[in-house]
Amino acid sequence: MGRCCCRCCCPRGLWMLSAPCCDDRRMCVCPGPRRIGIPVRSSSLPLFSDAMPAPTQLFFPLIRNCELSRIYGTACYCHHKHLCCSSSYIPQSRLRYTPHPAYATFCRPKENWWQYTQGRRYASTPQKFYLTPPQVNSILKANEYSFKVPEFDGKNVSSILGFDSNQLPANAPIEDRRSAATCLQTRGMLLGVFDGHAGCACSQAVSERLFYYIAVSLLPHETLLEIENAVESGRALLPILQWHKHPNDYFSKEASKLYFNSLRTYWQELIDLNTGESTDIDVKEALINAFKRLDNDISLEAQVGDPNSFLNYLVLRVAFSGATACVAHVDGVDLHVANTGDSRAMLGVQEEDGSWSAVTLSNDHNAQNERELERLKLEHPKSEAKSVVKQDRLLGLLMPFRAFGDVKFKWSIDLQKRVIESGPDQLNDNEYTKFIPPNYHTPPYLTAEPEVTYHRLRPQDKFLVLATDGLWETMHRQDVVRIVGEYLTGMHHQQPIAVGGYKVTLGQMHGLLTERRTKMSSVFEDQNAATHLIRHAVGNNEFGTVDHERLSKMLSLPEELARMYRDDITIIVVQFNSHVVGAYQNQE
Amino acid sequence: MMFYRLLSIVGRQRASPGWQNWSSARNSTSAAEARSMALPTQAQVVICGGGITGTSVAYHLSKMGWKDIVLLEQGRLAAGSTRFCAGILSTARHLTIEQKMADYSNKLYYQLEQETGIQTGYTRTGSIFLAQTQDRLISLKRINAGLNVIGIPSEIISPKKVAELHHLLNVHDLVGAMHVPEDAVVSSADVALALASAASQNGVQIYDRTSVLHVMVKKGQVTGVETDKGQIECQYFVNCAGQWAYELGLSNEEPVSIPLHACEHFYLLTRPLETPLQSSTPTIVDADGRIYIRNWQGGILSGGFEKNPKPIFTEGKNQLEIQNLQEDWDHFEPLLSSLLRRMPELETLEIMKLVNCPETFTPDMRCIMGESPAVQGYFVLAGMNSAGLSFGGGAGKYLAEWMVHGYPSENVWELDLKRFGALQSSRTFLRHRVMEVMPLMYDLKVPRWDFQTGRQLRTSPLYDRLDAQGARWMEKHGFERPKYFVPPDKDLLALEQSKTFYKPDWFDIVESEVKCCKEAVCVIDMSSFTKFEITSTGDQALEVLQYLFSNDLDVPVGHIVHTGMLNEGGGYENDCSIARLNKRSFFMISPTDQQVHCWAWLKKHMPKDSNLLLEDVTWKYTALNLIGPRAVDVLSELSYAPMTPDHFPSLFCKEMSVGYANGIRVMSMTHTGEPGFMLYIPIEGMDFIGRDALLQQKQNGVYKRLTMFILDDHDSDLDLWPWWGEPIYRNGQYVGKTTSSAYSYSLERHVCLGFVHNFSEDTGEEQVVTADFINRGEYEIDIAGYRFQAKAKLYPVASLFTQKRRKDDMELSDLHGK
């Protein structure tokens, strides 16, 4: 039955290791059905299909009392004290997805309890509890962000028109992260999505650090020297990244100095390694080096620790949680995608007849990828051939086969024990961190090394979708590209009005134009392609159209349950400037 | 209509009558003869373009006595923007020169019908400029003051008065208005035809349906034009090609850059009102509503300048005349809403047509006239920013004067083609810039406006460093220059948003910067200044410069002269400073925007066959202005040379080493009148004197380093002060002496400068001093036998001006862009 939705770290059976399983509110439930549709209705959760319209907290007590395991019967679920989530240090307000105020009124416990008991009756008049379209919109749009590249930035004409990004949490707090930045000392733009597991600490760290590592890897020797000299002499530093952030995309202030020092060590090594020959910097190599270096730094920082107890705990949480990364570097017509894990980069190509086709620019690193299975088997002795991937998981535990952090799959048993023992109590008490994966003989089993794909942009390449697997497991790639493509072109296509001999007064024309404008905005109620995609991903019915009822149900799930029906979704849609791309092509 | 008659000459059927006919056909008797016969092979002047500017230039040249003139038009006369022009003549302009041009045009068109017998539809309606906000009213008052000075009647009036002047107007949201009673409406196509007709009578030969392919140039001088109907030899060529002027300029073998770009422009025509509007109804400009409204045949004509312009013809020439452009009602919707807000009664008025009439815009919203800096005899008049009708008469007159007399009767530097640098002319730049310029037509024009698009075309080598220090930038001649530096604690948003005519928010910031220049010392990056070197093998350089410049340049080597280049009229063409580098070579510094003009002027006046070498070295030097009373101290500190007036008198120039850099041209002068120095530092990568030595140093390291020491435990009130010559101890070892010291008000500590050596403990030999060596030591300064602890800092100069940051405190956010 389906996949475990806490797909990364909850092996079947692992939950049994940790005692009272269900008193962890951060539990990770792994029912088969991802879609609210058929499987749920058919079997395990009749309760939901009837009572669904009422988003409630009434299930709290059930969950708390382990009732859910009974309800689910055979469903796999697991729970562990997530490193990140049991922490009170994470500023909840920044992370937590705050429901619409109207939502709160649904959730008064008393009322809910009553609803629960009267559940079946309410099933007949469910619309009463639906979120209104504006409420749905405010939830969908809470995290949307758009950036339009200034048409002319002086230095060069950008092949990127702009990007739209958005994310919809299922975990609370969300474990996905996204980043976008323009390289200031080299050309090009960086965009990435990061899918965290076992908490959000690792994805958070990667989202704020990785682009610096990439940017530094791309810098010419002289610029590195200049920056180093500036640090040395206390001068203001050359800015190397211009971030394009949603206000919710925060950077951790506390670790910033620590991160800076690690980064500085990296560029100092780059400076020292420079042989004096001015070789052209290879983007592919830079991406690979940056990924590996950052993962290495994450691992080292956790081993070394920090005198500050908060930081010490933070670096450990970062290292013991994990994150996948899918990063695009766009410079003119040169598009590089570096992927580690199972997020995906998809190119939207418009064929001559106007139709859309999808070109995958990354390979998923999981059990569905034969080459990855091969690689893992080759990297470990024959004796482990059966245990290294079990039940489509790394060591029977982890879904992605490549990831940042996750030192449980990288460090030797000795090292893990040593670090945990000398670590803070929170760590020492944590069953998950203490648990050594079974058949753990020849670490490391996991790498952060990305697979880098190069694509030379063509005028027919209209956009790039970077998204975490939350999107790809609900929608087919072809549908994703078609929906975005039609959305982006539809914005421009509208039958023009001509007066053409008719008697029209100014007032009539004005009325007509105003009407057209409102119509336009209702057809395209999303100003953001990523929001539009999420609307489809969450609200699509069997016919591939957005069903408001369904959308409303999905979005009004209490956060404790949302994770059972969907994963965090994070999407970046990058739109290319075909004219610029075409001009590059003509130059050659 | 005139050109329909012209049409019949070339055997075309008259186009279907319709709205195009709105300026109503007339029979004119003495019209321009458009010829279908063969072109002449020779002429003094060839004018390309039969719109209002081309015909105006022809008219004025012929009036001034030049007779041998050919005017070529690729389509029919007045069939470009001129044909579709809304026909509003408005004198309320922002620049005085523009007001004068419009005023002259008004007077010219007024009497044109009488002069030529061709009806131009000239009606004196007056115009009213509405103000919805106080800032707009201030802007109008400023224009009003300007108009009154040059004798154009205008007054500021109350909303009530506005309602009296135009009964359809909703005046509830107005705070005031400006009334210009002598403004007019006129049929621009008929004006162009009347001008052409008068020119034709004065001997100008006009040929339509003749396209100029390119202009022939020999030795930087126009020799003729190549058309699709043959060649014409000529001395002068005038590019009046409107939207096609850019394209035509580029078609030359030696391209002439004329930065302009077209945008679609929409206006609405309606059928007459029930009681038709009188022809004397004033024209309304509601800039806050982005629209203009004039009466038109009893109905109204209303267009505007929207916020989201649609650039057109980026790819270049695609039509000989403007026709069949798409109407875009959705695009016009905001302007229509604005119109109905202003005149609610128009709701029931019937639409006749939405006209799409592209207009040409320039990068700075001013028209382009003058002679090309690259090709002598190549004149330009184009880029009218939708005011072709208002400016056409006056601009044509000035250009004709320019050609006939060598200079126009008014100072037109603001409109001179040479104000643009070469980088401000790419298609992409223009496309983006005009999208910003067109909305500006009706935006409130506050002082110190800076364009946002097409920036960072040229930057100083120090750009990134200055930017990191919080520089806010302005653009001059395509060059980015810092306006001021925003202190770290300042609210940036508030700064950018405060755009009014009152005291600006940057006042305090600049005040403190000025204070620093007046009382201490500042460094100003002046790399953008135009820099030329003029050398010769003999004495020609001196001779030519003596001829071109007003002050005596036969000064001893090393001296600097402030002087100017004057024109024949005794007016200033350029003011500059010239340093005599040696007997035969001079270094000339002029303002940034003089780069093109000054170069052209020098080239034009230099003897053609001399062995004089003129080189533009603007990009070869970083120029720093060290300014303020302490500049002397800083420089002598860094150069190890006395810089007092005895040793380095004012207006003196010599090459010296400053800090570790060699071959720096130091001049004891500033461009602001404060005491100080200009430092011209050769830009890296270029070979310069001392480069080898520097490279050697870079490779081998240096044996002493200038280091700044901050005294930690020194009490300024009680302890002896450091002055100079105090021993410096590193980890208890003597490493050098201080060279100077001062109390730093910002650090509230004493600061000493001194060179640190690295003496071998065994041999006493000098070893290389690395940054690491400096940073890893514990220092003490010995003042009269008492040792004070000191912190060592490298890069003393930078640190004097920047906020010091400890590297331990650096974090990722230090690497962000702003």
Side-chain angles (χ1 to χ4, degrees):
Chain A
M1 155 150 210
R3 320 165 51 179
C4 164
C5 63
C6 173
R7 77 260 134 88
C8 306
C9 42
C10 71
R12 287 156 203 263
L14 175 58
W15 57 275
M16 292 197 282
L17 289 169
S18 54
C21 55
C22 288
D23 67 0
D24 182 357
R25 279 192 58 201
R26 303 286 346 124
M27 70 177 304
C28 167
V29 187
C30 312
R34 300 215 51 106
R35 290 165 182 264
I36 197 164
I38 310 114
V40 171
R41 251 177 242 147
S42 61
S43 63
S44 44
L45 213 53
L47 184 66
F48 280 3
S49 54
D50 287 341
M52 254 319 291
T56 88
Q57 292 186 330
L58 85 129
F59 300 112
F60 276 164
L62 295 186
I63 296 164
R64 291 239 168 81
N65 300 321
C66 260
E67 282 295 304
L68 209 59
S69 58
R70 190 180 55 74
I71 294 172
Y72 273 102
T74 59
C76 151
Y77 69 101
C78 75
H79 40 73
H80 40 258
K81 289 177 179 151
H82 277 264
L83 291 164
C84 146
C85 305
S86 52
S87 156
S88 56
Y89 294 110
I90 297 293
Q92 294 281 332
S93 58
R94 273 167 158 180
L95 281 169
R96 197 177 274 273
Y97 136 65
T98 325
H100 193 272
Y103 171 74
T105 61
F106 295 130
C107 299
R108 272 172 297 184
K110 241 180 168 177
E111 212 173 35
N112 287 335
W113 185 250
W114 180 76
Q115 278 165 13
Y116 168 60
T117 52
Q118 308 283 319
R120 287 179 192 282
R121 187 136 50 90
Y122 267 80
S124 56
T125 52
Q127 62 280 3
K128 187 174 177 186
F129 304 100
Y130 289 162
L131 300 176
T132 63
Q135 287 169 340
V136 165
N137 282 345
S138 76
I139 292 172
L140 284 180
K141 294 178 183 201
N143 291 318
E144 74 178 11
Y145 177 79
S146 284
F147 179 75
K148 199 168 170 291
V149 175
E151 265 205 85
F152 193 79
D153 69 359
K155 285 179 178 147
N156 51 69
V157 183
S158 174
S159 58
I160 295 183
L161 282 171
F163 70 85
D164 290 340
S165 77
N166 198 354
Q167 48 185 197
L168 182 70
N171 292 299
I174 184 168
E175 293 178 348
D176 277 7
R177 293 292 183 270
R178 60 184 154 167
S179 293
T182 305
C183 299
L184 295 176
Q185 302 303 327
T186 53
R187 305 189 333 158
M189 195 165 185
L190 287 164
L191 304 119
V193 295
F194 312 96
D195 186 350
H197 49 259
C200 57
C202 188
S203 53
Q204 173 64 34
V206 173
S207 75
E208 56 186 286
R209 302 177 69 181
L210 180 59
F211 287 9
Y212 282 113
Y213 281 74
I214 297 172
V216 161
S217 308
L218 289 167
L219 287 180
H221 183 65
E222 308 83 64
T223 315
L224 290 174
L225 270 181
E226 192 172 346
I227 293 174
E228 173 59 18
N229 286 338
V231 176
E232 199 50 54
S233 54
R235 267 186 285 129
L237 305 184
L238 284 182
I240 61 177
L241 286 180
Q242 179 72 57
W243 290 95
H244 312 297
K245 287 195 302 184
H246 186 274
N248 288 359
D249 301 339
Y250 72 98
F251 280 177
S252 65
K253 192 74 194 150
E254 300 84 1
S256 191
K257 268 185 219 170
L258 173 75
Y259 291 168
F260 179 85
N261 287 332
S262 295
L263 182 69
R264 187 179 174 206
T265 314
Y266 177 40
W267 80 53
Q268 283 171 335
E269 279 174 33
L270 287 176
I271 291 173
D272 291 344
L273 284 173
N274 183 278
T275 48
E277 309 152 30
S278 63
T279 45
D280 272 348
I281 288 161
D282 179 48
V283 179
K284 180 175 175 177
E285 207 176 308
L287 286 165
I288 294 175
N289 290 343
F291 273 62
K292 286 163 74 175
R293 176 69 186 209
L294 173 58
D295 193 48
N296 202 41
D297 282 356
I298 287 172
S299 166
L300 272 180
E301 285 156 5
Q303 290 173 46
V304 173
D306 196 283
N308 173 313
S309 66
F310 170 70
L311 275 185
N312 193 36
Y313 186 40
L314 177 75
V315 294
L316 287 167
R317 278 188 288 134
V318 169
F320 276 91
S321 57
T324 72
C326 186
V327 173
H329 178 264
V330 189
D331 174 9
V333 286
D334 298 322
L335 167 61
H336 286 87
V337 173
N339 184 48
T340 284
D342 54 5
S343 291
R344 209 178 280 173
M346 195 69 65
L347 195 63
V349 181
Q350 189 165 33
E351 305 297 343
E352 270 172 27
D353 64 357
S355 66
W356 294 94
S357 58
V359 174
T360 315
L361 291 183
S362 61
N363 297 315
D364 296 351
H365 299 138
N366 58 19
Q368 278 67 51
N369 182 340
E370 288 293 333
R371 285 192 3 239
E372 282 295 292
L373 285 169
E374 266 321 289
R375 175 181 68 83
L376 274 170
K377 281 179 186 157
L378 282 175
E379 284 174 3
H380 299 280
K382 268 226 164 83
S383 55
E384 294 185 48
K386 279 191 178 147
S387 63
V388 69
V389 177
K390 257 183 164 173
Q391 286 149 340
D392 284 354
R393 288 161 187 273
L394 186 65
L395 297 176
L397 297 172
L398 193 65
M399 297 260 314
F401 287 179
R402 302 191 193 194
F404 282 93
D406 282 326
V407 290
K408 289 170 61 59
F409 299 89
K410 290 174 181 165
W411 287 355
S412 69
I413 296 177
D414 272 359
L415 182 58
Q416 291 192 36
K417 282 188 172 152
R418 207 166 63 232
V419 169
I420 291 168
E421 272 162 23
S422 63
D425 295 344
Q426 299 105 308
L427 194 69
N428 217 357
D429 294 346
N430 189 300
E431 296 297 331
Y432 170 72
T433 49
K434 267 161 100 175
F435 167 72
I436 300 288
N439 304 308
Y440 198 77
H441 307 300
T442 50
Y445 287 88
L446 193 62
T447 174
E449 176 167 346
E451 200 174 348
V452 179
T453 328
Y454 172 75
H455 178 79
R456 193 185 154 79
L457 288 174
R458 307 156 299 169
Q460 63 265 40
D461 301 332
K462 301 297 180 187
F463 58 87
L464 176 74
V465 180
L466 295 173
T468 53
D469 64 338
L471 176 72
W472 305 113
E473 59 198 19
T474 52
M475 278 177 95
H476 190 268
R477 61 199 192 114
Q478 190 60 45
D479 291 334
V480 167
V481 164
R482 183 183 50 77
I483 286 166
V484 174
E486 284 171 3
Y487 170 80
L488 291 177
T489 49
M491 304 261 280
H492 312 299
H493 286 181
Q494 203 188 38
Q495 205 61 30
I497 303 184
V499 179
Y502 293 101
K503 278 193 167 187
V504 185
T505 68
L506 289 180
Q508 288 168 334
M509 178 58 88
H510 187 236
L512 181 65
L513 293 175
T514 322
E515 195 185 311
R516 272 163 74 91
R517 208 185 44 194
T518 14
K519 213 163 154 194
M520 265 286 280
S521 55
S522 71
V523 169
F524 300 103
E525 58 193 328
D526 299 322
Q527 274 85 53
N528 182 305
T531 310
H532 193 65
L533 253 186
I534 292 180
R535 190 186 296 277
H536 277 273
V538 179
N540 260 11
N541 58 19
E542 297 84 341
F543 311 108
T545 55
V546 177
D547 175 351
H548 178 73
E549 191 178 320
R550 183 188 168 87
L551 192 57
S552 168
K553 280 181 190 175
M554 288 294 280
L555 293 178
S556 51
L557 287 170
E559 58 188 39
E560 287 76 16
L561 293 185
R563 188 62 188 85
M564 291 192 276
Y565 295 92
R566 53 184 163 83
D567 193 358
D568 293 337
I569 299 178
T570 299
I571 300 172
I572 301 180
V573 179
V574 189
Q575 217 186 327
F576 299 116
N577 187 335
S578 301
H579 296 292
V580 173
V581 171
Y584 269 103
Q585 210 173 39
N586 293 338
Q587 273 171 21
E588 313 228 323
Chain B
M1 201 170 163
M2 256 304 297
F3 56 81
Y4 289 130
R5 204 183 62 74
L6 296 176
L7 247 179
S8 61
I9 296 174
V10 286
R12 280 261 179 113
Q13 285 303 303
R14 181 172 159 160
S16 66
W19 66 272
Q20 293 103 325
N21 221 4
W22 52 273
S23 50
S24 74
R26 303 180 179 96
N27 296 319
S28 47
T29 43
S30 58
E33 287 273 311
R35 301 158 194 238
S36 50
M37 58 197 69
L39 292 176
T41 55
Q42 220 172 344
Q44 188 188 8
V45 182
V46 173
I47 299 170
C48 173
I52 193 138
T53 55
T55 55
S56 173
V57 171
Y59 172 88
H60 286 99
L61 279 177
S62 66
K63 280 247 156 160
M64 292 168 77
W66 282 21
K67 299 292 179 193
D68 189 10
I69 298 167
V70 173
L71 187 150
L72 304 176
E73 163 59 47
Q74 59 180 357
R76 295 165 296 178
L77 280 182
S81 294
T82 301
R83 177 184 176 201
F84 291 98
C85 167
I88 299 167
L89 195 149
S90 150
T91 49
R93 302 285 161 184
H94 286 271
L95 298 179
T96 307
I97 186 71
E98 291 177 340
Q99 291 171 351
K100 284 180 178 168
M101 289 195 302
D103 188 38
Y104 173 84
S105 302
N106 197 358
K107 288 173 176 140
L108 173 71
Y109 305 160
Y110 176 68
Q111 54 83 48
L112 203 56
E113 191 166 321
Q114 202 182 10
E115 182 186 337
T116 62
I118 296 175
Q119 290 185 342
T120 58
Y122 183 96
T123 316
R124 192 155 271 179
T125 58
S127 51
I128 304 171
F129 294 79
L130 309 180
Q132 292 184 25
T133 66
Q134 286 299 338
D135 271 350
R136 175 71 65 184
L137 195 58
I138 294 170
S139 164
L140 290 177
K141 283 176 178 169
R142 291 160 53 90
I143 294 172
N144 184 55
L147 288 175
N148 292 343
V149 167
I150 61 168
I152 302 172
S154 71
E155 62 174 335
I156 298 295
I157 56 174
S158 66
K160 201 173 141 209
K161 183 78 193 293
V162 173
E164 285 168 22
L165 287 169
H166 199 309
H167 68 277
L168 287 174
L169 281 182
N170 165 21
V171 296
H172 293 114
D173 54 349
L174 301 183
V175 297
M178 176 174 71
H179 184 215
V180 188
E182 291 187 0
D183 279 355
V185 296
V186 63
S187 156
S188 57
D190 289 343
V191 166
L193 293 171
L195 290 170
S197 154
S200 171
Q201 281 183 339
N202 275 329
V204 175
Q205 307 170 57
I206 299 174
Y207 296 85
D208 66 359
R209 300 183 185 285
T210 307
S211 296
V212 174
L213 301 177
H214 64 262
V215 177
M216 297 179 291
V217 177
K218 228 177 231 162
K219 288 187 180 168
Q221 169 77 43
V222 169
T223 59
V225 295
E226 178 86 50
T227 76
D228 57 352
K229 304 236 169 84
Q231 287 187 357
I232 308 176
E233 279 178 32
C234 65
Q235 283 168 269
Y236 294 95
F237 175 76
V238 189
N239 183 340
C240 293
Q243 349 224 12
W244 297 280
Y246 175 80
E247 202 68 21
L248 179 59
L250 290 188
S251 66
N252 287 4
E253 215 164 289
E254 181 149 5
V256 173
S257 155
I258 304 160
L260 49 80
H261 194 291
C263 285
E264 293 182 46
H265 174 61
F266 295 93
Y267 63 78
L268 170 80
L269 294 174
T270 72
R271 307 232 172 248
L273 272 76
E274 225 158 280
T275 13
L277 275 186
Q278 290 185 336
S279 61
S280 62
T281 311
T283 298
I284 304 295
V285 177
D286 180 5
D288 299 307
R290 304 199 154 272
I291 50 167
Y292 58 81
I293 311 158
R294 58 162 281 196
N295 77 79
W296 179 73
Q297 295 194 349
I300 62 129
L301 179 162
S302 173
F305 296 98
E306 62 274 22
K307 277 191 194 152
N308 50 339
K310 295 166 77 178
I312 188 172
F313 304 144
T314 307
E315 305 309 322
K317 200 169 183 170
N318 58 353
Q319 293 187 343
L320 297 183
E321 297 172 357
I322 291 170
Q323 51 202 345
N324 298 330
L325 288 173
Q326 187 114 51
E327 57 189 316
D328 186 342
W329 279 99
D330 292 301
H331 189 72
F332 192 71
E333 189 265 339
L335 299 180
L336 179 59
S337 302
S338 181
L339 172 65
L340 291 176
R341 250 195 320 279
R342 187 54 57 212
M343 295 187 180
E345 287 170 47
L346 298 189
E347 283 255 343
T348 54
L349 197 56
E350 195 188 321
I351 294 166
M352 183 174 209
K353 172 93 184 171
L354 185 65
V355 182
N356 182 351
C357 154
E359 291 281 357
T360 314
F361 296 88
T362 60
D364 57 2
M365 215 172 47
R366 298 187 224 137
C367 75
I368 296 173
M369 65 161 76
E371 189 174 12
S372 154
V375 182
Q376 281 184 37
Y378 192 119
F379 282 82
V380 178
L381 181 58
M384 288 297 168
N385 298 291
S386 80
L389 178 68
S390 298
F391 295 155
K397 173 174 159 246
Y398 291 144
L399 193 81
E401 287 171 351
W402 200 329
M403 293 171 68
V404 173
H405 304 308
Y407 43 88
S409 56
E410 293 282 345
N411 179 0
V412 294
W413 166 243
E414 289 164 304
L415 313 175
D416 194 328
L417 170 63
K418 293 191 279 292
R419 71 185 183 273
F420 295 110
L423 287 178
Q424 289 165 302
S425 62
S426 80
R427 279 182 213 273
T428 324
F429 165 79
L430 291 171
R431 181 180 171 88
H432 292 118
R433 177 55 74 81
V434 297
M435 286 172 74
E436 188 181 357
V437 164
M438 182 169 147
L440 265 185
M441 296 295 300
Y442 279 167
D443 281 345
L444 193 62
K445 281 168 212 65
V446 291
R448 313 249 166 204
W449 168 264
D450 288 308
F451 287 102
Q452 306 297 308
T453 53
R455 295 290 297 270
Q456 293 174 301
L457 296 175
R458 291 178 156 180
T459 55
S460 148
L462 299 175
Y463 181 86
D464 284 332
R465 283 200 193 184
L466 296 178
D467 202 51
Q469 296 288 344
R472 285 290 170 277
W473 300 91
M474 62 172 285
E475 168 244 8
K476 187 94 178 177
H477 204 66
F479 204 119
E480 294 293 325
R481 308 202 299 191
K483 285 192 291 192
Y484 47 83
F485 293 81
V486 178
D489 53 340
K490 199 80 182 178
D491 180 8
L492 298 176
L493 269 181
L495 260 180
E496 322 256 285
Q497 281 168 357
S498 70
K499 286 177 182 150
T500 77
F501 293 91
Y502 292 98
K503 179 178 166 183
D505 272 10
W506 46 259
F507 184 86
D508 296 337
I509 298 175
V510 176
E511 184 185 43
S512 58
E513 287 174 6
V514 169
K515 199 168 168 229
C516 184
C517 291
K518 292 255 183 206
E519 295 172 4
V521 56
C522 282
V523 179
I524 306 175
D525 183 3
M526 293 187 131
S527 304
S528 70
F529 273 49
T530 302
K531 302 174 272 294
F532 294 156
E533 264 175 16
I534 304 134
T535 40
S536 63
T537 48
D539 286 337
Q540 296 96 324
L542 180 63
E543 282 163 20
V544 169
L545 294 179
Q546 286 288 50
Y547 168 68
L548 285 175
F549 292 88
S550 48
N551 284 346
D552 186 9
L553 290 169
D554 195 4
V555 290
V557 168
H559 279 249
I560 303 167
V561 179
H562 273 303
T563 182
M565 287 196 292
L566 306 187
N567 53 34
E568 287 85 341
Y572 262 84
E573 284 293 323
N574 174 23
D575 78 314
C576 57
S577 307
I578 296 185
R580 188 162 194 182
L581 299 176
N582 61 45
K583 277 271 174 211
R584 300 186 173 102
S585 113
F586 294 84
F587 188 72
M588 174 179 167
I589 305 130
S590 339
T592 309
D593 55 2
Q594 282 285 340
Q595 195 179 16
V596 175
H597 174 244
C598 184
W599 176 265
W601 183 267
L602 285 169
K603 274 280 176 198
K604 190 169 180 175
H605 292 87
M606 268 168 38
K608 295 273 176 291
D609 45 357
S610 77
N611 50 4
L612 210 57
L613 184 68
L614 175 65
E615 194 190 357
D616 185 342
V617 294
T618 303
W619 310 112
K620 294 194 179 172
Y621 291 94
T622 301
L624 294 182
N625 188 1
L626 195 60
I627 191 169
R630 302 300 306 275
V632 175
D633 304 331
V634 171
L635 202 56
S636 56
E637 194 59 62
L638 285 172
S639 59
Y640 257 137
M643 302 298 289
T644 57
D646 300 342
H647 295 93
F648 208 127
S650 170
L651 291 179
F652 198 71
C653 161
K654 70 177 170 193
E655 270 186 15
M656 52 197 288
S657 52
V658 177
Y660 301 124
N662 216 344
I664 291 182
R665 202 162 277 166
V666 177
M667 300 186 185
S668 50
M669 61 158 231
T670 63
H671 298 284
T672 50
E674 299 298 320
F677 297 89
M678 288 297 305
L679 278 67
Y680 290 91
I681 304 140
I683 285 172
E684 252 183 75
M686 223 85 55
D687 197 24
F688 56 90
I689 305 155
R691 181 168 187 263
D692 292 346
L694 259 189
L695 285 177
Q696 186 85 20
Q697 272 190 5
K698 192 179 173 187
Q699 199 171 359
N700 299 344
V702 291
Y703 290 90
K704 58 178 181 181
R705 282 188 94 136
L706 187 66
T707 309
M708 181 173 81
F709 297 95
I710 301 165
L711 296 191
D712 261 346
D713 52 356
H714 185 270
D715 187 332
S716 318
D717 294 327
L718 302 174
D719 292 328
L720 273 175
W721 277 34
W723 295 103
W724 70 89
E726 286 86 12
I728 304 165
Y729 290 92
R730 177 183 178 275
N731 299 343
Q733 296 276 320
Y734 170 77
V735 288
K737 281 183 181 170
T738 63
T739 52
S740 77
S741 71
Y743 183 77
S744 161
Y745 289 91
S746 50
L747 299 172
E748 296 182 317
R749 289 269 191 291
H750 263 285
V751 175
C752 306
L753 293 177
F755 279 100
V756 172
H757 304 254
N758 181 2
F759 303 109
S760 160
E761 270 179 73
D762 313 325
T763 62
E765 244 182 58
E766 285 200 36
Q767 296 167 324
V768 172
V769 180
T770 61
D772 201 49
F773 178 82
I774 300 278
N775 291 329
R776 279 174 189 245
E778 298 281 345
Y779 291 90
E780 289 167 311
I781 307 282
D782 184 330
I783 306 176
Y786 190 85
R787 288 190 187 180
F788 292 90
Q789 285 180 12
K791 277 209 185 79
K793 300 280 173 189
L794 281 167
Y795 304 100
V797 180
S799 42
L800 278 176
F801 304 116
T802 60
Q803 228 184 345
K804 208 57 189 158
R805 245 177 295 194
R806 290 177 30 172
K807 64 183 172 197
D808 315 344
D809 288 342
M810 291 208 181
E811 46 183 55
L812 282 184
S813 62
D814 289 315
L815 291 163
H816 292 189
K818 282 189 289 277

